[in-house]
Every structure is written in C-alpha cells, then in structure tokens.
Amino acid sequence: TALATEIQHKDRQIVLVRGELAMAEQEVLDMKLENERKADDYAKSFDALAAEREKLAGSEAALRELTASMKTIREEKEGKDEKIESLTQKVADLEEDVADLRERNAKMRDQFESERSELSGVLTVFRKERKKELAAREMVLREEMQGMEASSDELREMLAECEEELKE
C-alpha cells in the first residue's frame, strides 16, 4: 500500500508537471502570436520611420528601443524554451521513477506470493504432523481410559465382594 501511495503521488506529480508544461507551451504560443503581431507593428513602424527619417530626429532612439524590446522578447522566449525543456526532463524523470516503483512493486508481489506459497506448504506439513501426534495421543489416552475402566470394574467387584462379606 505504501508503494501504491507513492506511485499515486508520483502520478499526481506527473499530471501537475504536464499541466505546467502545457501552460508553458501555451504561453510560448501566445508569445509567438504576440511577437508576430508586434513584428507586424514594428514593420509598419519601420516603414513610417523610413518615410519620416528626415523629419523625425528621435527615430533612431525609437528604433533602438524597438530593437531592445525584440531582444528582451527573444530572451524571454529562450527562457520559456529552457523552462519547457526542464519541465519535459522532469516529466521523463518522474515517469522513470514510476516505472522503477512499479517494477519494485511487482518484484515484492512476486516475493510475497513465493513466501506465501512456501509458508502454505510448511503449514500443510505442520498440520499433518499435528494430526498424527493428536491421533497417537488419542490412542494412548483411550488405552489409559480402558485400563482405568478395567481397574474401576475390578474395584467395583472387590467392593461388591466386601459388602457381601460384611453382610454375612
């Protein structure tokens, strides 16, 4: 039962880690969509900046800011990718632990069955020996009882003879 509880615990951990993995993957997909949207926005901004380059003195600063933002987004994505890899490895490790526990449980069950079978055989032999002992003891007691009954009969006869002698 302890192994079954441990297996259930590991199974719950796997489910939780898989949930986290699914959430992280969804976040990455959302980020990709957001990145595409931002990329579209950036493309429009770059077109507008090219047209207004001469007019806008601060366009280079805006471009640097957008570049830094994209770098940050890339770094965040890479962090999410690393987290996904870590969670995937965690799931694999937990699945391996569960497999090991199941194998250990099977071995223990086999050992238990083997020992139970062996003990059953020993118990059967013990019962047979005990029956033999009890049968032998019963025979001895019956013989003793018959001897006592014979002695009792003799004592009754002697008593009867004594009573007749006393009557005479």
Side-chain angles (χ1 to χ4, degrees):
T1 59
L3 284 174
T5 303
E6 191 172 345
I7 288 172
Q8 288 175 346
H9 178 71
K10 292 290 183 175
D11 284 341
R12 282 190 212 113
Q13 286 181 333
I14 288 172
V15 169
L16 291 174
V17 170
R18 284 184 178 156
E20 289 179 24
L21 178 62
M23 287 176 20
E25 288 174 344
Q26 185 60 46
E27 285 181 32
V28 168
L29 289 174
D30 291 344
M31 285 181 65
K32 284 181 181 178
L33 290 174
E34 181 65 324
N35 285 346
E36 288 177 13
R37 187 189 61 74
K38 284 183 179 182
D40 289 341
D41 291 345
Y42 294 151
K44 290 174 188 175
S45 295
F46 285 130
D47 291 342
L49 285 174
E52 304 239 353
R53 180 173 256 160
E54 294 176 12
K55 297 177 187 175
L56 300 174
S59 64
E60 288 182 14
L63 181 60
R64 275 182 249 150
E65 184 179 316
L66 290 173
T67 303
S69 176
M70 284 188 72
K71 182 179 178 185
T72 302
I73 290 171
R74 269 192 219 114
E75 289 172 356
E76 288 175 0
K77 182 192 172 293
E78 288 171 2
K80 295 289 182 181
D81 289 344
E82 289 173 7
K83 186 175 181 180
I84 288 171
E85 288 176 26
S86 170
L87 291 173
T88 303
Q89 182 60 42
K90 206 178 215 182
V91 166
D93 292 345
L94 289 172
E95 286 173 344
E96 187 177 317
D97 288 348
V98 167
D100 291 345
L101 287 172
R102 285 187 177 143
E103 183 180 329
R104 196 168 120 205
N105 188 26
K107 286 179 183 178
M108 289 177 76
R109 183 176 40 249
D110 292 345
Q111 181 182 356
F112 171 78
E113 289 297 324
S114 172
E115 288 175 2
R116 186 173 64 90
S117 176
E118 184 179 326
L119 287 174
S120 177
V122 168
L123 184 59
T124 302
V125 169
F126 175 77
R127 285 180 181 157
K128 286 180 183 177
E129 291 297 319
R130 187 71 176 149
K131 278 185 181 180
K132 286 179 187 177
E133 288 175 15
L134 290 175
R137 202 176 216 184
E138 184 180 1
M139 283 181 57
V140 168
L141 290 174
R142 285 186 189 276
E143 289 173 2
E144 287 179 4
M145 197 166 104
Q146 287 173 352
M148 290 176 150
E149 286 175 355
S151 293
S152 174
D153 289 344
E154 287 176 19
L155 288 172
R156 280 192 193 111
E157 286 177 19
M158 288 173 66
L159 181 62
E161 287 174 9
C162 285
E163 285 178 353
E164 281 183 27
E165 285 178 13
L166 285 176
K167 286 183 186 177
E168 296 175 0

